[in-house]
Amino acid sequence: MPELRITLAGAERVVAGGTTYGEALGADGRSVVAARANGELKDLAAAVADGDVIEPVEAGSADGRAIVRHSTAHVMAQAVQEIFPEARLGIGPPVENGFYYDFDVKNPFTPEDLKRIEKRMREIVKQGQLFARRPVTDEAARQELAAEPYKLELIGLKGGAADEESVEVGGGELTIYDNLDPKTGELCWKDLCRGPHVPTTRSIPAFKLMRSGGAYWRGSEKNPQLQRIYGTAWESREKQDEYLHLLEEAEKRDHRKLGAELDLFSFPDELGSGLPVFHPKGGVIRKIMEDYSRRRHEEAGYSFVNTPHITKDNLYKVSGHLDWYADGMFPPMELEGAKYYLKPMNCPMHNLIFRARGRSYRELPLRMFEFGTVYRYEKSGVVHGLTRVRGLTQDDAHIYCTREQMREELASLLRFVLDLLRDYGLSDFYLELSTKDPVKFVGTDEDWEEATQTLREVAESENLELVLDPGGAAFYGPKISVQARDAIGRSWQMSTIQLDFNLPQRFELEYQSADGSRQRPVMIHRALFGSIERFFGVLVEHYAGVFPPWLAPVQAVCIPIAEAHAPYLQDVAKKARERGVRIEVDASDDRMQKKIRNAQKAKVPFMLLAGDEDIAGGAVSFRFRNGEQRNGIPVDQAIDEIVEAIERRVQV
């Protein structure tokens, strides 16, 4: 056997030819499930090559989890085809926190079916079947998979597959993974797959099937609807238990459920999917959010503008949206010989405001701001409560500045965004930098490089974690996204800041510089909330509906111990309202304890109770929603405490 030189843990080693990555790493297939050789993921059973720089891929790493989950998807597909032999295979990629596999079956899967499938999966895992990689030619793959029409279609896509399809055919050659009996070596099952996989099914420590539902093949409504089974898999049972506990907590916090319970918003069928209406209490919260945002923008020197909801199509031809974003727009309306579109973005209209008259360098930076409602055609399968809607209102700003002002303006913007998000109770952030899509972009490579590097430097200056999102930018420029972690650790995309050299050129925007020459401004796109609807939904889940007093739709409830005490509390409420407190008096026929329970269920921050002794002493019993109560508090003192909590924006 020839000797091979490899690098492991920074040190050069000599190994015999035929040594596998697993042998070189001393991997057990449990804590280490794959290898990374020269940056490329490899099966532990694959042979090392001369010159390889090798690193272990641990099961708990991002790549390790993806491999465990992808392998679990194979085990699930094997179980499905053993129980339902007529099932045809779609795709089965790993996804965030789990995996799925699509199947063409006669009938949708039932909960009982999922139990049978999971039971068979556990038997396959216990058996310890080997994952064996086997390169095949296109023609051989077609012959072996002749009974799998969706796999045949993927073979024809080789090299041009979408992200989720690339787990099947994304490599330079086609490969099939055989699941082999560990004792006899006989073939148990096989699938078209790029890999890599864990060494054996015993390398899958923990998994659980979650649910099933319909999904169109390759995400297109023009294609057949398949049945998708979702599951989760982890590097240990402890990690899986943590995740399942998180799901239980997330279910309690689901903004759709809390929105109905707290009477905040609803989604009438008569309006259509993704079009919410806000009820009076939800409207109060929304108004507070908007009013506070307006005040902060005024203090930061923004000019308020307003634009219509529809426009002729030429505006979006000029902007490029009809070339690059048409799939996300509602169909046009024909009127008076022209085509009109519901606007999906505010930026082209803000450009028209900038262009409406001559501009001087003395006006820059010019900061325009609008609560602009836009409409985006989201596929029905991705519409989700308030966090993914079809009609949304953005707190949308566009800043026009010189190139010399660009860096400081971006830094100032990012600080402004982070400070405002902190005011709403979010404090755990990281930043994501989205770079140019190699296909969908306008402008020069030089402009993109300058814009991307500038955003990178500004993001790094905040000393927050910076994560790259290659190819995730809009077609007109790179962006920074502020990602916020909520009270239970989930990440949400919040604010976006995009740097744009291209739209000013497409709209021929100019300003007169100090030397009298005509110059092109730089444009910065910024949505602080992302959308009010999405931010509202995130806040509901972050606080689990227990809003801090400044955001609570009802900040205090007065509860008389008996009907005779109600007039006294009406006077207390009048005093509180004069101080700006949103307060109600519960004069219903319910008993006092029921009124207290109702206020707690509505998550009202403060309750003011009064009986004979309180009235005699000009006081109230001051009760908090956690059950704590202080008796005999003077009315003015109680109101002062409520007002202070509101003004300080603290949680109680």
Side-chain angles (χ1 to χ4, degrees), residues 562-618:
E563 185 179 351
H565 307 127
Y568 173 77
L569 286 176
Q570 293 287 3
D571 291 337
V572 172
K574 183 173 182 293
K575 279 188 176 183
R577 289 191 192 101
E578 289 170 354
R579 299 283 300 278
V581 178
R582 295 186 292 278
I583 188 168
E584 296 178 352
V585 177
D586 187 344
S588 67
D589 293 334
D590 291 331
R591 299 174 68 85
M592 182 188 72
Q593 290 302 327
K594 176 72 184 304
K595 293 178 181 181
I596 291 173
R597 286 196 299 273
N598 289 343
Q600 288 175 325
K601 188 176 178 181
K603 308 186 191 301
V604 178
F606 303 105
M607 286 164 266
L608 304 180
L609 286 68
D612 291 338
E613 289 186 16
D614 296 299
I615 294 173

Side-chain angles (χ1 to χ4, degrees), residues 144-176:
E144 286 197 51
L145 300 169
E148 297 286 358
Y150 302 102
K151 299 295 182 181
L152 296 178
E153 184 176 334
L154 291 176
I155 293 170
L157 292 173
K158 187 175 69 169
D163 288 346
E164 292 181 341
E165 297 157 353
S166 68
V167 299
E168 314 265 347
V169 294
E173 64 177 351
L174 289 181
T175 54
I176 285 177

Side-chain angles (χ1 to χ4, degrees), residues 524-535:
I524 302 171
H525 306 247
R526 193 238 62 198
L528 194 150
F529 293 144
S531 80
I532 291 174
E533 289 78 8
R534 177 178 171 78
F535 193 65

Side-chain angles (χ1 to χ4, degrees), residues 410-411 414-415 431 455-464:
L410 285 168
L414 188 53
R415 287 192 296 271
L431 304 176
L455 282 177
R456 184 193 307 272
E457 292 171 3
V458 168
E460 289 173 346
S461 71
E462 286 297 314
N463 297 317
L464 293 171

Side-chain angles (χ1 to χ4, degrees), residues 304-360:
F304 289 83
V305 298
N306 190 264
T307 58
H309 292 222
I310 62 172
T311 173
K312 288 182 179 178
D313 62 348
N314 191 59
L315 181 68
Y316 291 117
K317 289 178 182 176
V318 174
S319 69
H321 284 88
L322 281 176
D323 291 329
W324 302 111
Y325 196 73
D327 288 346
M329 298 169 66
F330 277 91
M333 297 171 276
E334 299 281 349
L335 185 65
E336 297 175 344
K339 286 184 179 179
Y340 285 81
Y341 281 92
L342 290 168
K343 67 174 176 180
M345 307 278 185
N346 298 301
C347 44
M349 295 188 181
H350 289 191
N351 285 340
L352 298 183
I353 296 173
F354 183 94
R355 203 176 67 183
R357 63 172 176 81
R359 301 287 178 180
S360 164

